[in-house]
Amino acid sequence: MTEIRWLDELESRAWLGFVFTRDLIAAAVGRDSLRASNLTYVEYTVLARLADAPDHRRSFAELAAVLEWSQSRLSHQITRMEKRGLVARESIPDDARRTAAVLTGKGSEVLTTAEPAYIDSVRRHMIDVLDRDQLNALADIYDTLLTHHRRPAQARIALDTPPDQLSGRLAEPNSHERDGHAG
């Protein structure tokens, strides 16, 4: 069994700072968004990603990838937003098995109304709290973390495993090998 590498004080401050700050800022922006436009943080994000797309539509697969969500989570969210008239589902003409999410006129109006309050909230709760050097450092840090976590999983395993712990295999041994019985 590998010895646990406990977090030192700096590492703990960095980790907990990230966790608590992310939750606090997201909650504050979400409250402000809901109060200003009756739009949740998640709904705002979906609408914004549709507004960024050509013709204000994306296939479910593409939208799920852009949001980094499962298609199941996206489907449930789109269902809730459809009931409010913010988005619609449309079949993709070339492939009847695939569906696209489309920003409706009402969704576009709500997004346009919500944007100023959303941006103001992001500024108040994060951007304007930091000076330009801190903001630049934070952006660089998030670029590094996003690049790391968006690499394919197998590449991450190989790169994150110390060379002396690489066994030449990436998959878990089958039950016979785990139990010490080959074959």
Side-chain angles (χ1 to χ4, degrees):
M1 178 133 158
T2 307
E3 184 179 327
I4 297 172
R5 291 181 54 221
W6 295 104
L7 300 181
D8 64 26
E9 186 179 341
L10 176 62
E11 293 165 337
S12 184
R13 276 183 52 222
W15 171 246
L16 294 175
F18 162 75
V19 170
F20 295 140
T21 302
R22 188 253 175 247
D23 291 347
L24 287 170
I25 292 171
V29 171
R31 279 190 307 273
D32 289 349
S33 180
L34 199 56
R35 189 173 30 251
S37 61
N38 196 30
L39 200 62
T40 68
Y41 177 79
V42 170
E43 290 169 334
Y44 178 91
T45 302
V46 171
L47 295 179
R49 296 298 70 82
L50 288 173
D52 292 343
D55 299 326
H56 303 297
R57 78 184 65 240
R58 291 183 190 262
S59 72
F60 269 50
E62 179 188 357
L63 185 55
V66 167
L67 294 168
E68 297 188 23
W69 291 1
S70 69
Q71 286 197 33
S72 174
R73 177 182 179 191
L74 177 63
S75 182
H76 289 294
Q77 184 63 47
I78 294 297
T79 297
R80 288 188 295 274
M81 293 174 73
E82 268 184 305
K83 290 176 183 173
R84 294 186 55 201
L86 302 173
V87 297
R89 291 176 197 247
E90 289 184 358
S91 294
I92 295 177
D94 300 345
D95 187 348
R97 297 171 298 161
R98 295 178 58 217
T99 304
V102 181
L103 182 65
T104 64
K106 179 180 179 182
S108 183
E109 287 174 23
V110 169
L111 180 63
T112 299
T113 301
E115 283 175 322
Y118 178 84
I119 298 301
D120 178 64
S121 183
V122 169
R123 285 196 163 284
R124 278 187 297 110
H125 296 293
M126 184 179 154
I127 303 301
D128 294 344
V129 175
L130 305 172
D131 65 32
R132 292 306 283 187
D133 289 338
Q134 291 171 319
L135 199 55
N136 196 25
L138 188 61
D140 287 346
I141 289 165
Y142 285 130
D143 286 346
T144 299
L145 290 170
L146 287 169
T147 298
H148 171 78
H149 288 283
R150 287 178 175 157
R151 283 196 319 253
Q154 295 298 334
R156 269 200 317 272
I157 292 168
L159 291 173
D160 294 343
T161 304
D164 61 333
Q165 292 183 13
L166 285 175
S167 66
R169 77 182 327 154
L170 296 175
E172 180 181 67
N174 65 42
S175 62
H176 292 295
E177 293 172 314
R178 261 195 323 266
D179 298 334
H181 307 303

